[in-house]
Amino acid sequence: MLRLDAIDAFYGDVQALAAVSLEVGQGEIVALVGANAAGKSTTLRVVSGLVAPRRGRVLFGGEDLTPVAAHRRVERGIVQVPEGRRLFPFMSVVENLLLGAHPARARAERASTVEYVYSLFPVLADRRTQLAGSLSGGEQQMCAIGRALMARPRVLMLDEPTLGLAPVLVSRIFETVRAINADGVTVLLVEQNVRQALTLAHRACVLESGKLVLQGRARELLGDERLKRAYLGL
């Protein structure tokens, strides 16, 4: 469904990704894991069109998206939940959600989609008129995910969705990601909690210093000695 083909990406003269190739199949959850500055967030930005690769291609359903602008990729169904949530703090919860339904195909279904979001996150229904900036961290993350779902994504990309959340909320977010995937949405997940990410995902890719060094079935990687030493503290 989604393929990165030998991607090189730079910030100025600093190379962030080097010959990264990976695939995400339809209906999969694929986890991107690695240390800070490994290139995980840059990979998502390349897919979403926020960072243009210097070399390589981004393919989606066989179409070369490399020259396609970021907002056009959203219309095709590639939607990212950025690290830090990026809500509009002085707008209400429901206003933030409705902003996500910008693509034409999403606008036509926004009434049913917002009810779907409320079914996933009942607290958002209770807080629908509350300013987004006054929500707790966990509620803001739910709102950010809900806003992305309003765009009716085919591929949902999540960048550190559990960062800074209490353990009980971390579990809730992972359960919701599993439910979203069960409803037919493909997921590409960047997550600091490697053990839980590998437990959730079908497959995983490990990045080190901008290079893809390991990939495979997620549960099999849980037993990989190199990964256990580097990321699980074992």
Side-chain angles (χ1 to χ4, degrees):
M1 185 178 193
L2 174 67
R3 179 158 65 93
L4 274 64
D5 183 14
I7 294 291
D8 287 355
F10 290 75
Y11 295 106
D13 294 328
V14 178
Q15 187 164 12
L17 297 176
V20 170
S21 296
L22 61 88
E23 294 185 358
V24 181
Q26 186 166 349
E28 283 191 313
I29 300 175
V30 175
L32 277 177
V33 299
N36 289 335
K40 306 184 298 298
S41 294
T42 301
T43 301
L44 297 192
R45 293 180 186 129
V46 167
V47 174
S48 64
L50 298 176
V51 170
R54 191 168 296 183
R55 282 181 289 275
R57 299 184 301 163
V58 178
L59 301 170
F60 184 57
E63 178 188 6
D64 185 356
L65 290 186
T66 313
V68 176
H71 68 285
R72 298 298 183 192
R73 299 188 194 195
V74 175
E75 292 172 355
R76 285 162 170 78
I78 297 175
V79 182
Q80 181 174 346
V81 180
E83 181 181 347
R85 300 141 195 169
R86 308 285 180 88
L87 299 176
F88 294 91
F90 297 109
M91 297 177 69
S92 70
V93 167
V94 69
E95 287 170 337
N96 271 273
L97 293 177
L98 293 177
L99 282 173
H102 179 71
R105 62 187 180 83
R107 287 199 300 272
E109 302 179 52
R110 68 180 188 176
S112 60
T113 307
V114 78
E115 292 305 319
Y116 170 67
V117 170
Y118 290 154
S119 73
L120 290 173
F121 303 114
V123 68
L124 296 183
D126 298 336
R127 307 266 198 275
R128 68 182 73 194
T129 60
Q130 187 171 324
L131 295 182
S134 67
L135 299 175
S136 69
E139 291 165 350
Q140 288 189 25
Q141 187 62 63
M142 294 173 192
C143 190
I145 295 172
R147 181 179 59 185
L149 292 174
M150 291 297 298
R152 307 290 294 189
R154 296 172 62 195
V155 174
L156 178 66
M157 301 192 298
L158 300 159
D159 194 355
E160 302 285 12
T162 69
L163 186 64
L165 299 185
V168 64
L169 291 174
V170 170
S171 297
R172 174 70 190 280
I173 294 297
F174 276 110
E175 289 169 5
T176 304
V177 172
R178 184 178 284 111
I180 292 167
N181 176 248
D183 287 333
V185 178
T186 301
V187 176
L188 180 56
L189 170 70
V190 166
E191 176 54 47
Q192 60 171 347
N193 191 321
V194 174
R195 186 185 299 278
Q196 285 198 266
L198 295 182
T199 301
L200 173 71
H202 301 106
R203 291 190 303 109
C205 303
V206 182
L207 288 169
E208 286 184 4
S209 301
K211 297 178 181 179
L212 187 64
V213 296
L214 194 64
Q215 61 180 315
R217 293 185 178 276
R219 290 186 180 272
E220 292 176 1
L221 291 183
L222 273 171
D224 184 272
E225 292 301 322
R226 178 180 175 185
L227 187 142
K228 285 163 69 174
R229 288 194 302 271
Y231 304 111
L232 301 181
L234 300 176

